[in-house]
Amino acid sequence: MNRRRLTAVGSVLFGAFALAACSKEEPPKPAEPAAPAAAPAAPAPAPADDKGPIKIGILHSLSGTMAISETSLKDVALMTIEEINAAGGVLGRKLEPVVVDPASNWPLFAEKARDLIQNQKVAVVFGCWTSVSRKSVLPVFEELNGLLFYPVQYEGEESSFNVFYTGAAPNQQAIPAVEYLMSKKGGAAKRWVLLGTDYVYPRTTNKILRYFLHSKGVADDDILEKYTPFGHSDYQTIVADVKKFAAGKRTAVVSTINGDSNVPFYKELANQGLKATDIPVVAFSVGEEELRGIDAKPLVGHLAAWNYFMSIDNPENKAFIAKWMDYVKKNNLPGGDKRVTNDPMEATYIGIHMWAQAAEQAHSVSVDAVRQAIGYQKFKAPSGFTIEMDAKNHHLHKPVFIGEVKADGQFHVVWKTDGPIRAQAWSPYIPDSAKKVADWTYPYVCGNCTEPKFK
């Protein structure tokens, strides 16, 4: 695909930037990156540019609490690799997937990432779902100069030289969703429940949303913020607290609950008789795959904000769904004809194709060559829009859709942007973040700075 040439910046772009790994309970904030001129401490050998297969790492939880969400990302990655191989591969070479299971264990993600880069010598890794897993692997990719494509919506406040973010930043999901719920069409909510799983993505997203709500005149007394651990299953007390908090004012719930905890949460809403007409819930981590495992009828009318829905009607999406269903049938995947597509699957599909396009353009699969070619890559996505990779902040420009849950577990789109919008890696609503710049092109050459590195 066509792209503008990135400005050459010499050897400074081979720097590594170490961020602190996050624990499950209280992930620390990322450390300031080191100066970009520093060379990687222990760079992994670059994949050989020969005629053999090109190894591609797939790093997703296939067991544990996140398997409900991540297994389909592994499956669609394998489908996309098969599709590219059928078209001749990359640079005339077949892609060879190397699949590992970090088992929803955040430290294990880092171990598996190190093995993929150092021992398996993969050219690129597609993986992670939770931000704590991404934070866990980030120091590994930056130390070893590996390349990660991260396909899930996240909290922002990050831009790494070694990561391309194909999921949404907060201004491509969370902020538009809250704006919609504030609008007359969305119900004109005046009181807000910020409910999430207890780790970095929900806490940071809710920090941004609290600042945003303050900017709209919402007082702290009208914001209720609660967190539960991964795998939490008893939402009786929390839902009762939500009902009590909602008395007297139009209230909406913003849910950043992740993994299999979504099932008992929505069941408890139904048990206590809470309908979308009473207290609408907008979810950022519930899509078609999560709804496939539950009775969706009690959820009808509740909302989700994504950059893609399976129900979108256009030729590109029809072709994507047809490829997926053919792959499911051919490989006899569990769930059969009940399998669905969702937003992170589309993001995975886009990311793998963009990496392949960049490798072809660079005439190489080395990390440094491909990274320079990924910026400005374009791809006609199943969403129906032509999606572009931002060369400066390493995020995709993405459209935003808000959908209502239907009884069949699909979504009816009730609002969407006119086209893709550029991601904000650093939130303009957090005072300190508003000053920061993510720009990996000259003269900034940084993901977290307030002035250019080169003047």
Side-chain angles (χ1 to χ4, degrees), residues 92-422:
R93 300 162 62 189
K94 297 296 185 183
L95 304 183
E96 179 183 306
V98 181
V99 179
V100 296
D101 177 16
S104 307
N105 180 320
W106 319 132
L108 189 57
F109 267 87
E111 294 178 26
K112 295 289 188 181
R114 185 173 293 276
D115 178 66
L116 285 171
I117 300 169
Q118 281 191 321
N119 301 325
Q120 301 295 335
K121 295 180 174 53
V122 299
V124 62
V125 175
F126 298 89
C128 299
W129 181 292
T130 68
S131 286
V132 70
S133 66
R134 189 192 71 258
K135 294 288 190 185
S136 179
V137 304
L138 191 53
V140 176
F141 280 90
E142 292 181 332
E143 173 195 343
L144 302 179
N145 194 31
L147 196 60
L148 172 68
F149 278 71
Y150 178 63
V152 184
Q153 85 290 350
Y154 84 121
E155 69 282 357
E157 307 303 288
E158 178 181 301
S159 178
S160 172
F161 192 44
N162 296 84
V163 180
F164 286 89
Y165 306 81
T166 59
N171 73 302
Q172 296 171 314
Q173 185 190 38
I175 297 296
V178 171
E179 287 179 323
Y180 173 77
L181 288 170
M182 283 182 158
S183 71
K184 183 177 180 181
K185 182 179 180 181
K190 303 296 182 184
R191 186 167 281 177
W192 302 86
V193 179
L194 309 180
L195 180 59
T197 302
D198 193 5
Y199 74 108
V200 64
Y201 162 61
R203 284 192 175 273
T204 307
T205 297
N206 288 338
K207 178 182 179 181
I208 293 169
L209 289 179
R210 188 177 284 269
Y211 273 109
F212 173 75
L213 290 170
H214 288 169
S215 76
K216 297 296 183 180
V218 179
D220 280 329
D221 287 346
D222 287 323
I223 304 172
L224 175 66
E225 194 168 341
K226 285 184 173 289
Y227 298 94
T228 55
F230 278 98
H232 189 72
S233 60
D234 184 1
Y235 282 90
Q236 185 174 355
T237 300
I238 287 177
V239 172
D241 289 344
V242 170
K243 289 178 68 175
K244 183 177 178 181
F245 179 74
K249 283 189 178 181
R250 179 66 174 168
T251 300
V253 175
V254 178
S255 172
T256 47
I257 295 172
N258 259 269
D260 52 12
S261 291
N262 279 295
V263 176
F265 169 61
Y266 281 101
K267 283 185 176 179
E268 188 58 38
L269 288 176
N271 290 342
Q272 297 196 30
L274 281 184
K275 299 179 181 179
T277 51
D278 304 319
I279 303 175
V281 176
V282 62
F284 302 154
S285 296
V286 172
E288 295 86 346
E289 181 64 22
E290 289 74 21
L291 293 179
R292 185 168 66 92
I294 63 175
D295 178 9
K297 292 183 180 64
L299 282 70
V300 169
H302 286 299
L303 304 166
W306 290 103
N307 312 108
Y308 164 86
F309 285 115
M310 185 177 181
S311 59
I312 293 171
D313 186 10
N314 64 56
E316 291 79 21
N317 195 32
K318 288 178 180 177
F320 177 58
I321 294 169
K323 290 174 189 175
W324 170 242
M325 297 311 296
D326 287 347
Y327 182 83
V328 168
K329 183 177 181 180
K330 182 177 70 174
N331 291 277
N332 196 29
L333 296 186
D337 60 6
K338 292 182 172 58
R339 293 294 291 268
V340 294
T341 59
N342 65 14
D343 179 290
M345 291 171 67
E346 189 217 27
T348 298
Y349 185 72
I350 293 170
I352 296 175
H353 274 288
M354 280 194 171
W355 174 86
Q357 290 173 187
E360 290 283 358
Q361 182 172 318
H363 304 291
S364 171
V365 296
S366 77
V367 168
D368 295 315
V370 172
R371 177 168 42 216
Q372 289 296 308
I374 291 172
Y376 304 115
Q377 290 292 340
K378 294 182 179 180
F379 185 77
K380 189 62 180 286
S383 67
F385 292 93
T386 297
I387 305 299
E388 180 177 329
M389 177 62 74
D390 196 288
K392 293 186 176 183
N393 65 23
H394 286 192
H395 290 65
L396 286 183
H397 298 197
K398 308 196 77 170
V400 184
F401 300 89
I402 296 175
E404 286 186 350
V405 178
K406 296 166 56 182
D408 61 358
Q410 291 292 317
F411 290 87
H412 168 64
V413 175
V414 296
W415 182 89
K416 65 179 181 179
T417 55
D418 293 333
I421 59 177
R422 185 175 188 261

Side-chain angles (χ1 to χ4, degrees), residues 157 426-437 449-450:
E157 307 303 288
W426 298 95
S427 174
Y429 298 104
I430 299 177
D432 288 341
S433 297
K435 305 171 185 176
K436 296 180 180 179
V437 173
C449 58
T450 56

